[in-house]
Amino acid sequence: MLSNKSITSLSTALLLLINVATEQGGALAQSIPSLRDAFKNDFGIGTALNNAQIEERDPQTTEFIARQFNMATPENIMKSALIHPKWDTYNFELADKLVEFGKKHKIKINGHTLIWHSQLPMFIRGIKSQDSIRTFFTDHIKTVAGRYDGKILSWDVVNEALNEDGTMRKTVFLQQLGDDYVTEAFRLAQQAAPKTELYYNDYNNEQPAKRAGCIALIKKIQAAGVRIDGVGIQGHWHVGNVPFKDIEESIVQYGALGLKVMFTELDIEVLPRNFQGAEVSQRMTANAESNPYTNGLPDTVQQQLAADYEALFKLFLKHKDKVTRVTFWGVNDGQSWLNNWPVRGRTNYPLLFDRNNQPKPAFYKVLAASK
Ligand code: G3I
């Protein structure tokens, strides 16, 4: 039997141990080299932030983010369903917090996104009239882009307007407002946010057919005398199958249009999937083979992931005169949307930091590429 005194001493010792471990956690975070510093003369290093991170619920996570990244994109909270939930109601609370977060930690914010066919407010479904869609479209851009002008660096003005073959995706905006709606969105954003950079953002727009559609779309905006400052290639790729040649050609071709080129949602899928891209409505049925790495990533895959990231960053550096930002779609593997898409509840490993914010071999390869 332990005496009361022994129990008290044991508890004190335990508390001490916990304190030391926590302090070491902070110190460990400080001992990890910083990506934002490593690439400070090349391009911005960004991350997607979720609600908990924007609200700074965990101080160690905040410290970690501020040390590693100098740009951030909200993963969800600036999408229209969240920021404009009812016809005449906007909810700016978390977006305002994000702006404060950016100021406090010297992180520039990329607004994501003004016009997207997905994550639209529920009330849009009930609207059948062209006039009402136009009113929503105009008011939304004016109000949201206007509020943050001068407070954020940039907007993804339109997201994912293209099909894989380069034709225009049949969205509610295309159907109700016609072919020129993308140009119109940029015109409205330019008026509402003269101090904010304006981008078009998509996935697979490094693939030749979709890229051709993207270039045509950009030229149309430019021909109308409307400002577009950059193009975002989301960069949702697969391990061992990153399309380096298409990526390089895209950097060169988009750059030739006078635009900044950004990699805006970078992650590299390591789990089995029978299609590419990031079409959120696409799903896959779970089976015995769909979640193979619940106990850790095999070394061969880990090394391939590291090699892919290394080659990617070497390519980005080669074209750093055009590439202005590389944003990862999440801080660490635990946060990634790829744990729940296209199959829910998988254990994925697409980023540079593991579930405890510890650097993976890919992190060190990327860091070495910066030297
Ligand atoms: O907030 C609700 C929560 O209340 C509810 O209990 C829970 C139940 O499923 O859902 C939560 O919402 C989820 C939301 O993420 C916040 O976590 C949605 O279901 C889920 O669909 C949503 O997924 C987001 C997805 O966009 C939706 O389209 C991902 O987080 C986000 O990473 C992803 O981001 C997109 C980019 O914006 C555009 N490019 C593709 C990229 C990946 O899909």
Side-chain angles (χ1 to χ4, degrees), residues 58-75:
D58 172 32
Q60 270 189 29
T61 302
T62 304
E63 189 187 335
F64 182 80
I65 292 167
R67 180 168 165 76
Q68 291 297 336
F69 305 101
N70 50 19
M71 304 231 174
T73 303
E75 190 173 357

PDB file of all heavy atoms in Angstrom, residues 58-75:
ATOM      1  N   ASP A  58      -5.802  25.503 -30.105  1.00  0.00           N
ATOM      2  CA  ASP A  58      -4.637  24.856 -29.487  1.00  0.00           C
ATOM      3  C   ASP A  58      -3.390  25.717 -29.735  1.00  0.00           C
ATOM      4  O   ASP A  58      -2.928  25.824 -30.878  1.00  0.00           O
ATOM      5  CB  ASP A  58      -4.466  23.463 -30.100  1.00  0.00           C
ATOM      6  CG  ASP A  58      -3.170  22.812 -29.644  1.00  0.00           C
ATOM      7  OD1 ASP A  58      -2.746  23.086 -28.505  1.00  0.00           O
ATOM      8  OD2 ASP A  58      -2.574  22.050 -30.438  1.00  0.00           O
ATOM      9  N   PRO A  59      -2.842  26.341 -28.678  1.00  0.00           N
ATOM     10  CA  PRO A  59      -1.717  27.265 -28.852  1.00  0.00           C
ATOM     11  C   PRO A  59      -0.506  26.633 -29.548  1.00  0.00           C
ATOM     12  O   PRO A  59       0.167  27.289 -30.344  1.00  0.00           O
ATOM     13  CB  PRO A  59      -1.353  27.661 -27.418  1.00  0.00           C
ATOM     14  CG  PRO A  59      -2.536  27.315 -26.587  1.00  0.00           C
ATOM     15  CD  PRO A  59      -3.285  26.234 -27.296  1.00  0.00           C
ATOM     16  N   GLN A  60      -0.257  25.353 -29.271  1.00  0.00           N
ATOM     17  CA  GLN A  60       0.908  24.711 -29.920  1.00  0.00           C
ATOM     18  C   GLN A  60       0.715  24.600 -31.429  1.00  0.00           C
ATOM     19  O   GLN A  60       1.662  24.760 -32.201  1.00  0.00           O
ATOM     20  CB  GLN A  60       1.128  23.330 -29.329  1.00  0.00           C
ATOM     21  CG  GLN A  60       2.058  23.389 -28.134  1.00  0.00           C
ATOM     22  CD  GLN A  60       2.464  21.998 -27.670  1.00  0.00           C
ATOM     23  OE1 GLN A  60       2.523  21.051 -28.447  1.00  0.00           O
ATOM     24  NE2 GLN A  60       2.719  21.873 -26.389  1.00  0.00           N
ATOM     25  N   THR A  61      -0.531  24.330 -31.830  1.00  0.00           N
ATOM     26  CA  THR A  61      -0.818  24.246 -33.264  1.00  0.00           C
ATOM     27  C   THR A  61      -0.633  25.617 -33.904  1.00  0.00           C
ATOM     28  O   THR A  61      -0.043  25.739 -34.990  1.00  0.00           O
ATOM     29  CB  THR A  61      -2.268  23.742 -33.492  1.00  0.00           C
ATOM     30  OG1 THR A  61      -2.385  22.475 -32.866  1.00  0.00           O
ATOM     31  CG2 THR A  61      -2.610  23.625 -34.956  1.00  0.00           C
ATOM     32  N   THR A  62      -1.118  26.654 -33.210  1.00  0.00           N
ATOM     33  CA  THR A  62      -0.974  28.012 -33.752  1.00  0.00           C
ATOM     34  C   THR A  62       0.502  28.342 -33.951  1.00  0.00           C
ATOM     35  O   THR A  62       0.906  28.858 -35.003  1.00  0.00           O
ATOM     36  CB  THR A  62      -1.602  29.035 -32.776  1.00  0.00           C
ATOM     37  OG1 THR A  62      -2.945  28.657 -32.548  1.00  0.00           O
ATOM     38  CG2 THR A  62      -1.547  30.442 -33.336  1.00  0.00           C
ATOM     39  N   GLU A  63       1.298  28.011 -32.936  1.00  0.00           N
ATOM     40  CA  GLU A  63       2.733  28.309 -33.004  1.00  0.00           C
ATOM     41  C   GLU A  63       3.356  27.559 -34.196  1.00  0.00           C
ATOM     42  O   GLU A  63       4.179  28.095 -34.941  1.00  0.00           O
ATOM     43  CB  GLU A  63       3.373  27.855 -31.687  1.00  0.00           C
ATOM     44  CG  GLU A  63       4.795  28.288 -31.508  1.00  0.00           C
ATOM     45  CD  GLU A  63       5.417  27.669 -30.263  1.00  0.00           C
ATOM     46  OE1 GLU A  63       4.686  27.309 -29.324  1.00  0.00           O
ATOM     47  OE2 GLU A  63       6.653  27.526 -30.263  1.00  0.00           O
ATOM     48  N   PHE A  64       2.931  26.312 -34.342  1.00  0.00           N
ATOM     49  CA  PHE A  64       3.457  25.485 -35.422  1.00  0.00           C
ATOM     50  C   PHE A  64       3.119  26.098 -36.787  1.00  0.00           C
ATOM     51  O   PHE A  64       3.981  26.229 -37.661  1.00  0.00           O
ATOM     52  CB  PHE A  64       2.875  24.068 -35.307  1.00  0.00           C
ATOM     53  CG  PHE A  64       3.402  23.126 -36.341  1.00  0.00           C
ATOM     54  CD1 PHE A  64       4.650  22.546 -36.178  1.00  0.00           C
ATOM     55  CD2 PHE A  64       2.681  22.845 -37.488  1.00  0.00           C
ATOM     56  CE1 PHE A  64       5.163  21.682 -37.144  1.00  0.00           C
ATOM     57  CE2 PHE A  64       3.178  21.987 -38.459  1.00  0.00           C
ATOM     58  CZ  PHE A  64       4.427  21.411 -38.286  1.00  0.00           C
ATOM     59  N   ILE A  65       1.855  26.502 -36.955  1.00  0.00           N
ATOM     60  CA  ILE A  65       1.413  27.081 -38.235  1.00  0.00           C
ATOM     61  C   ILE A  65       2.203  28.362 -38.526  1.00  0.00           C
ATOM     62  O   ILE A  65       2.705  28.562 -39.639  1.00  0.00           O
ATOM     63  CB  ILE A  65      -0.112  27.375 -38.191  1.00  0.00           C
ATOM     64  CG1 ILE A  65      -0.893  26.062 -38.142  1.00  0.00           C
ATOM     65  CG2 ILE A  65      -0.553  28.233 -39.385  1.00  0.00           C
ATOM     66  CD1 ILE A  65      -2.364  26.207 -37.793  1.00  0.00           C
ATOM     67  N   ALA A  66       2.316  29.213 -37.512  1.00  0.00           N
ATOM     68  CA  ALA A  66       2.985  30.501 -37.713  1.00  0.00           C
ATOM     69  C   ALA A  66       4.460  30.315 -38.068  1.00  0.00           C
ATOM     70  O   ALA A  66       5.046  31.127 -38.768  1.00  0.00           O
ATOM     71  CB  ALA A  66       2.843  31.356 -36.468  1.00  0.00           C
ATOM     72  N   ARG A  67       5.053  29.230 -37.571  1.00  0.00           N
ATOM     73  CA  ARG A  67       6.470  28.978 -37.868  1.00  0.00           C
ATOM     74  C   ARG A  67       6.682  28.430 -39.281  1.00  0.00           C
ATOM     75  O   ARG A  67       7.684  28.712 -39.914  1.00  0.00           O
ATOM     76  CB  ARG A  67       7.022  27.997 -36.834  1.00  0.00           C
ATOM     77  CG  ARG A  67       8.471  27.666 -37.031  1.00  0.00           C
ATOM     78  CD  ARG A  67       9.054  26.933 -35.861  1.00  0.00           C
ATOM     79  NE  ARG A  67      10.324  26.347 -36.237  1.00  0.00           N
ATOM     80  CZ  ARG A  67      11.441  27.036 -36.362  1.00  0.00           C
ATOM     81  NH1 ARG A  67      11.460  28.320 -36.121  1.00  0.00           N
ATOM     82  NH2 ARG A  67      12.556  26.420 -36.735  1.00  0.00           N
ATOM     83  N   GLN A  68       5.716  27.642 -39.745  1.00  0.00           N
ATOM     84  CA  GLN A  68       5.912  26.941 -41.023  1.00  0.00           C
ATOM     85  C   GLN A  68       5.364  27.673 -42.247  1.00  0.00           C
ATOM     86  O   GLN A  68       5.853  27.473 -43.350  1.00  0.00           O
ATOM     87  CB  GLN A  68       5.268  25.546 -40.962  1.00  0.00           C
ATOM     88  CG  GLN A  68       5.974  24.578 -40.017  1.00  0.00           C
ATOM     89  CD  GLN A  68       7.415  24.276 -40.442  1.00  0.00           C
ATOM     90  OE1 GLN A  68       7.780  24.402 -41.611  1.00  0.00           O
ATOM     91  NE2 GLN A  68       8.249  23.911 -39.480  1.00  0.00           N
ATOM     92  N   PHE A  69       4.313  28.477 -42.070  1.00  0.00           N
ATOM     93  CA  PHE A  69       3.596  29.009 -43.242  1.00  0.00           C
ATOM     94  C   PHE A  69       3.498  30.536 -43.221  1.00  0.00           C
ATOM     95  O   PHE A  69       3.374  31.122 -42.140  1.00  0.00           O
ATOM     96  CB  PHE A  69       2.185  28.416 -43.304  1.00  0.00           C
ATOM     97  CG  PHE A  69       2.168  26.905 -43.292  1.00  0.00           C
ATOM     98  CD1 PHE A  69       1.884  26.195 -42.121  1.00  0.00           C
ATOM     99  CD2 PHE A  69       2.465  26.181 -44.434  1.00  0.00           C
ATOM    100  CE1 PHE A  69       1.886  24.799 -42.097  1.00  0.00           C
ATOM    101  CE2 PHE A  69       2.464  24.785 -44.426  1.00  0.00           C
ATOM    102  CZ  PHE A  69       2.173  24.090 -43.257  1.00  0.00           C
ATOM    103  N   ASN A  70       3.548  31.158 -44.408  1.00  0.00           N
ATOM    104  CA  ASN A  70       3.326  32.608 -44.454  1.00  0.00           C
ATOM    105  C   ASN A  70       2.112  32.986 -45.315  1.00  0.00           C
ATOM    106  O   ASN A  70       1.864  34.155 -45.577  1.00  0.00           O
ATOM    107  CB  ASN A  70       4.586  33.361 -44.919  1.00  0.00           C
ATOM    108  CG  ASN A  70       5.163  32.777 -46.197  1.00  0.00           C
ATOM    109  OD1 ASN A  70       4.468  32.062 -46.921  1.00  0.00           O
ATOM    110  ND2 ASN A  70       6.420  33.063 -46.473  1.00  0.00           N
ATOM    111  N   MET A  71       1.368  31.977 -45.749  1.00  0.00           N
ATOM    112  CA  MET A  71       0.127  32.234 -46.483  1.00  0.00           C
ATOM    113  C   MET A  71      -0.902  31.212 -46.006  1.00  0.00           C
ATOM    114  O   MET A  71      -0.533  30.093 -45.619  1.00  0.00           O
ATOM    115  CB  MET A  71       0.334  32.042 -47.974  1.00  0.00           C
ATOM    116  CG  MET A  71       1.467  32.907 -48.533  1.00  0.00           C
ATOM    117  SD  MET A  71       0.937  33.810 -49.958  1.00  0.00           S
ATOM    118  CE  MET A  71       2.374  34.827 -50.260  1.00  0.00           C
ATOM    119  N   ALA A  72      -2.189  31.589 -46.033  1.00  0.00           N
ATOM    120  CA  ALA A  72      -3.222  30.629 -45.630  1.00  0.00           C
ATOM    121  C   ALA A  72      -4.495  30.840 -46.430  1.00  0.00           C
ATOM    122  O   ALA A  72      -4.828  31.961 -46.825  1.00  0.00           O
ATOM    123  CB  ALA A  72      -3.514  30.757 -44.145  1.00  0.00           C
ATOM    124  N   THR A  73      -5.184  29.733 -46.650  1.00  0.00           N
ATOM    125  CA  THR A  73      -6.475  29.724 -47.346  1.00  0.00           C
ATOM    126  C   THR A  73      -7.473  29.048 -46.417  1.00  0.00           C
ATOM    127  O   THR A  73      -7.169  27.980 -45.877  1.00  0.00           O
ATOM    128  CB  THR A  73      -6.361  28.888 -48.652  1.00  0.00           C
ATOM    129  OG1 THR A  73      -5.321  29.435 -49.463  1.00  0.00           O
ATOM    130  CG2 THR A  73      -7.659  28.892 -49.426  1.00  0.00           C
ATOM    131  N   PRO A  74      -8.651  29.654 -46.191  1.00  0.00           N
ATOM    132  CA  PRO A  74      -9.636  28.956 -45.359  1.00  0.00           C
ATOM    133  C   PRO A  74     -10.157  27.724 -46.085  1.00  0.00           C
ATOM    134  O   PRO A  74     -10.567  27.832 -47.247  1.00  0.00           O
ATOM    135  CB  PRO A  74     -10.738  29.994 -45.161  1.00  0.00           C
ATOM    136  CG  PRO A  74     -10.605  30.921 -46.321  1.00  0.00           C
ATOM    137  CD  PRO A  74      -9.153  30.937 -46.709  1.00  0.00           C
ATOM    138  N   GLU A  75     -10.157  26.574 -45.409  1.00  0.00           N
ATOM    139  CA  GLU A  75     -10.573  25.335 -46.087  1.00  0.00           C
ATOM    140  C   GLU A  75     -12.058  25.386 -46.442  1.00  0.00           C
ATOM    141  O   GLU A  75     -12.469  24.850 -47.471  1.00  0.00           O
ATOM    142  CB  GLU A  75     -10.270  24.126 -45.200  1.00  0.00           C
ATOM    143  CG  GLU A  75     -10.453  22.815 -45.920  1.00  0.00           C
ATOM    144  CD  GLU A  75     -10.004  21.616 -45.106  1.00  0.00           C
ATOM    145  OE1 GLU A  75      -9.493  21.806 -43.983  1.00  0.00           O
ATOM    146  OE2 GLU A  75     -10.172  20.482 -45.592  1.00  0.00           O
TER     147      GLU A  75
END
